[in-house]
Amino acid sequence: MSTLSPSSVVSPPAAIPLGEVLPWAIFAGLMLVLAVYFVGAEEGATSIFSGSYVHEFVHDGRHLLGFPCH
């Protein structure tokens, strides 16, 4: 019967290259900023779309995140 030592069973975690993670991190950051804009600032003077459709669509999210709206 062979005996395994802990050092031969556990391998170190593989390193993830920054070049593979950076594009996904930038994409996720842009999506987060876009979501915060639509939930928090898409009304009034900063409105991109006319009407109140976007505001009504994200209305409950505004209250959940603490943005005042009325």
Side-chain angles (χ1 to χ4, degrees):
M1 180 170 288
S2 65
T3 304
L4 297 175
S5 65
S7 63
S8 65
V9 175
V10 178
S11 60
I16 300 173
L18 183 63
E20 291 182 16
V21 175
L22 191 60
W24 288 105
I26 291 172
F27 176 72
L30 288 174
M31 291 296 108
L32 179 64
V33 167
L34 189 65
V36 168
Y37 168 77
F38 277 114
V39 171
E42 175 59 33
E43 67 177 337
T46 62
S47 179
I48 293 175
F49 302 105
S50 63
S52 62
Y53 297 111
V54 174
H55 173 82
E56 294 301 325
F57 183 73
V58 297
H59 187 88
D60 292 336
R62 293 177 64 86
H63 289 296
L64 181 69
L65 295 174
F67 287 100
C69 64
H70 51 85

